[in-house]
Amino acid sequence: MTEENHDENKLIAQRREKLTAIRAKRVAFPNSFIKEDTSSDLIEKYDSKTKEELETLAVTAVIAGRIIRMRGPFVVLQDGNGQMQIYINNKSFLEEQAEEIKSFDLGDIIGVHGEMFKTGKGELTLRASRFELLTKSLRPLPDKHKGLTDTEMRYRQRYVDLIVNEQSRKIFQTRSRIMRFIRQYFESLDFMEVETPMMQVIPGGATARPFITHHNALDQEMFLRVAPELFLKRLVVGGFERVFELNRNFRNEGLSTRHNPEFTMLEFYQAYARYQDLMDLTEDLFRKIAIDIGGSSKVSFQGSEYDFAEPFARLSVTDSIKKYCSVADDAVFASAESVAALANSLDVNFDQNWSKGKVLMEIFDQKVEAQIDQPTFITEYPIEVSPLARRNEENPEITDRFELIIGGRELANGFSELNDPEDQAERFKEQVAQKDSGDSEAMHFDHDYVTALEYGMPPTAGEGIGIDRLVMLFTDSASIKDVLLFPHMRPQQDPT
RNA sequence: GGGGCGUUAGCUCAGUCGGUAGAGCAGUUGGCUUUUAACCAAUUGGUCGUGCGUUCAAGUCGCACACGCCCCA
């Protein structure tokens, strides 16, 4: 099967014939039409006028857009901001033009000059005096009532989804608005937006498996970043005391409703702050996003309601296990043996060689996280799973770290940064030992990062917020694919 | 990795007990021309995801595979 006739059908063939006829007469894809108005502007200005007022005003307008409905002499155009009905009665045009109007198909893009009026039923409408076909659409649009519902096609052909599904357009508009709001928020707090390498020689900043690539000129193996963390902290060493980066990370892991191989992360670092300060900042940020997006501190998500005006719960890892796994007292957390016994009794899958802290987190991940619905900061993460976080002064087994859980999903991860270069070197060594024993997610030893710390990093707190999951939360989306314009999909089967 | 569900016209979906493939929308032709999921009449359109198998006969039953969705790990 050749590409040329692949998925061709009669409907497309008919439209191609129309295009061929157009080509024979004139420039088929003109670029000279000057659009002067948008549907949303016209509605804002004139929808409140009466039929009589509009007749007196005799407003002319020039708009362009895609034909998404045809009802007798009425045509609905969709442009970047909304929709406008056009009255384009072929009886009132000369024969050649009347034929052209008849040949219009749903999906065609036209430009129209005319005068604004209101129909008998009171709908604001543009009466066409001149029109021009700007782009012939060769492919039929999905069902005009139900849109495109096939989830696979919505993801694979997002452009079609965006044409016909208003809800989908809204999600990505909201996403853009959230991104803009976050930038404004951090700039208002004197943070500086920076860009650090996405291609790294030593992948660092998170325990995750990286994508590997190769630089030909340097003949060097390189990694797509799993996190920008170590570079952002180098900038704090350099004296930029408040920095943030809002961009893509890449992790070579499975796909799910919460995971895409490339995803957007906000990371920010604030010198002379503590992790508690960032929990406060996070509450404030979520509250303000909710109000900016929905006009209220309350957000509905997958059947739950969250009020971001309320302070978030704060609970240590061990306390959360006690609460959600019916553990009576702290004695079980005392030794590695008792924690392993607890994991076994709770039916948690884990490796017998794992450390106490790692087993503890496995219990949390498998048995606790999904149960936490209302916004909750989980704190006091074990040191073994937090190789870049500051050790707690009272309890050397834990770090000054938190994660934010909402609706059973991890939204954010932050901590007071480890700025002791000797402790950091030791932590890297432990990571390398784990990597050597087969853990593909363990970190590399980053000597230059330790060197940077040796120059001195001020006490600092930093945090990462998963933007895709944040957008899911604020758009009530069940799958990460719903908030990614072009989610990763397996290639379609070749029909040959 | 395991389990469940799905894949039928361009789109949205029916398809009974295994017995010649259906509707709405879109399209085409004509009518109507201030409509609102416009309307009226006629009409075109199918490798039923792919491949094997069972059967006189498979969209339908079985197996395998592909892709997707959901759940579990």
Side-chain angles (χ1 to χ4, degrees):
Chain A
M1 200 177 258
T2 64
E3 185 57 33
E4 209 168 339
N5 62 18
H6 165 71
D7 74 4
E8 283 283 290
N9 63 41
K10 194 172 175 182
L11 299 179
I12 295 172
Q14 284 166 347
R15 290 181 179 217
R16 262 189 217 286
E17 279 171 28
K18 289 179 183 177
L19 176 59
T20 303
I22 295 162
R23 283 191 203 280
K25 275 190 257 180
R26 58 164 186 274
V27 175
F29 293 91
N31 192 21
S32 52
F33 187 84
I34 295 167
K35 176 184 163 179
E36 293 175 7
D37 302 289
T38 66
S39 58
S40 58
D41 282 351
L42 291 171
I43 288 165
E44 195 181 322
K45 281 186 198 158
Y46 304 115
D47 201 33
S48 57
K49 306 284 186 211
T50 65
K51 192 174 167 72
E52 292 72 25
E53 284 170 336
L54 273 176
E55 270 170 36
T56 313
L57 286 168
V59 181
T60 58
V62 185
I63 68 169
R66 188 185 298 276
I67 298 174
I68 57 158
R69 298 282 184 277
M70 292 195 281
R71 294 186 285 264
F74 293 92
V75 160
V76 181
L77 288 196
Q78 180 165 279
D79 64 14
N81 302 285
Q83 298 172 1
M84 176 59 62
Q85 179 167 269
I86 309 297
Y87 181 72
I88 180 164
N89 188 341
N90 56 29
K91 292 269 191 321
S92 54
F93 285 89
L94 297 173
E95 191 177 334
E96 192 178 346
Q97 289 184 302
E99 284 304 312
E100 179 160 1
I101 292 167
K102 278 198 227 169
S103 75
F104 284 160
D105 289 301
L106 290 175
D108 288 353
I109 294 167
I110 63 172
V112 179
H113 292 248
E115 191 169 296
M116 302 305 302
F117 77 108
K118 279 208 168 164
T119 65
K121 300 282 168 65
E123 179 160 352
L124 186 67
T125 302
L126 179 66
R127 184 188 293 108
S129 56
R130 279 163 54 197
F131 64 87
E132 185 178 357
L133 177 70
L134 304 178
T135 305
K136 183 69 191 168
S137 169
L138 295 178
R139 287 177 182 264
L141 291 175
D143 189 277
K144 69 177 178 181
H145 311 309
K146 297 188 176 175
L148 187 62
T149 65
D150 185 292
T151 49
E152 183 176 352
M153 297 314 287
R154 286 186 51 229
Y155 300 146
R156 288 193 195 276
Q157 294 187 283
R158 182 67 86 185
Y159 41 90
V160 179
D161 178 45
L162 292 171
I163 289 170
V164 297
N165 293 337
E166 164 82 26
Q167 182 56 32
S168 191
R169 283 198 298 278
K170 262 185 93 172
I171 284 172
F172 295 104
Q173 285 161 350
T174 299
R175 180 176 179 124
S176 169
R177 187 165 178 166
I178 289 172
M179 299 285 276
R180 187 165 64 240
F181 184 87
I182 288 171
R183 287 199 159 92
Q184 286 166 355
Y185 181 86
F186 281 94
E187 275 158 23
S188 77
L189 293 175
D190 286 327
F191 281 78
M192 181 173 85
E193 182 170 8
V194 296
E195 293 162 278
T196 65
M198 295 212 184
M199 298 172 69
Q200 304 177 346
V201 175
I202 302 169
T207 47
R209 196 170 170 185
F211 284 95
I212 303 171
T213 186
H214 186 259
H215 190 292
N216 287 341
L218 298 177
D219 190 21
Q220 181 175 51
E221 185 175 60
M222 297 193 84
F223 303 90
L224 299 186
R225 74 177 183 195
V226 294
E229 175 158 351
L230 301 184
F231 285 95
L232 291 171
K233 286 194 277 195
R234 283 175 171 97
L235 295 178
V236 178
V237 170
F240 290 138
E241 294 180 351
R242 295 184 178 203
V243 292
F244 75 99
E245 183 159 12
L246 184 49
N247 218 316
R248 223 66 65 82
N249 289 346
F250 307 86
R251 295 185 185 176
N252 205 340
E253 295 162 1
L255 299 114
S256 80
T257 50
R258 298 168 199 194
H259 298 88
N260 195 64
E262 54 178 305
F263 62 98
T264 300
M265 180 84 111
L266 165 70
E267 279 204 20
F268 56 98
Y269 291 83
Q270 180 178 348
Y272 310 106
R274 289 147 293 274
Y275 75 104
Q276 295 94 333
D277 299 318
L278 297 192
M279 291 197 281
D280 294 342
L281 181 152
T282 304
E283 286 187 11
D284 183 59
L285 174 64
F286 274 62
R287 185 181 316 122
K288 285 176 174 162
I289 291 174
I291 291 167
D292 183 65
I293 297 304
S296 159
S297 62
K298 291 186 177 142
V299 170
S300 293
F301 178 70
Q302 302 295 298
S304 289
E305 184 154 296
Y306 310 117
D307 188 349
F308 292 118
E310 303 290 328
F312 298 179
R314 300 185 182 195
L315 204 59
S316 72
V317 169
T318 50
D319 282 345
S320 74
I321 293 171
K322 279 163 70 179
K323 180 174 175 184
Y324 290 98
C325 298
S326 311
V327 173
D329 70 297
D330 287 309
V332 291
F333 303 122
S335 71
E337 291 72 27
S338 59
V339 168
L342 175 64
N344 277 324
S345 73
L346 292 170
D347 245 355
V348 169
N349 296 316
F350 67 101
D351 190 319
Q352 295 295 336
N353 298 322
W354 286 357
S355 67
K356 173 181 149 191
K358 208 163 174 188
V359 176
L360 209 54
M361 286 321 298
E362 209 57 31
I363 296 172
F364 177 84
D365 287 343
Q366 290 181 36
K367 297 294 167 188
V368 178
E369 189 173 66
Q371 293 190 61
I372 299 173
D373 186 31
Q374 288 296 314
T376 303
F377 288 116
I378 301 295
T379 59
E380 301 184 15
Y381 278 72
I383 195 134
E384 307 96 293
V385 298
S386 314
L388 303 170
R390 183 178 188 275
R391 195 185 294 268
N392 183 267
E393 283 173 22
E394 272 91 52
N395 180 354
E397 289 189 357
I398 61 171
T399 53
D400 292 341
R401 176 181 170 191
F402 67 90
E403 285 194 3
L404 172 62
I405 313 292
I406 303 175
R409 294 158 169 84
E410 178 198 334
L411 268 289
N413 174 26
F415 38 86
S416 295
E417 302 299 336
L418 174 58
N419 64 342
D420 176 340
E422 293 173 355
D423 191 354
Q424 183 66 74
E426 284 303 313
R427 308 268 195 104
F428 275 144
K429 271 188 201 163
E430 284 157 27
Q431 288 291 313
V432 170
Q434 285 179 34
K435 188 167 244 357
D436 291 343
S437 64
D439 183 351
S440 61
E441 294 187 348
M443 292 180 181
H444 295 62
F445 197 116
D446 191 331
H447 290 280
D448 180 71
Y449 178 66
V450 173
T451 300
L453 292 187
E454 286 171 356
Y455 278 93
M457 181 169 79
T460 298
E463 179 176 346
I465 297 178
I467 295 302
D468 308 295
R469 291 181 188 177
L470 182 101
V471 175
M472 287 168 69
L473 174 67
F474 286 106
T475 57
D476 197 12
S477 299
S479 170
I480 195 169
K481 290 188 170 74
D482 293 324
V483 302
L484 295 168
L485 280 166
F486 300 102
H488 184 76
M489 303 284 280
R490 277 175 210 263
Q492 272 176 310
Q493 194 181 13
D494 188 342
T496 55

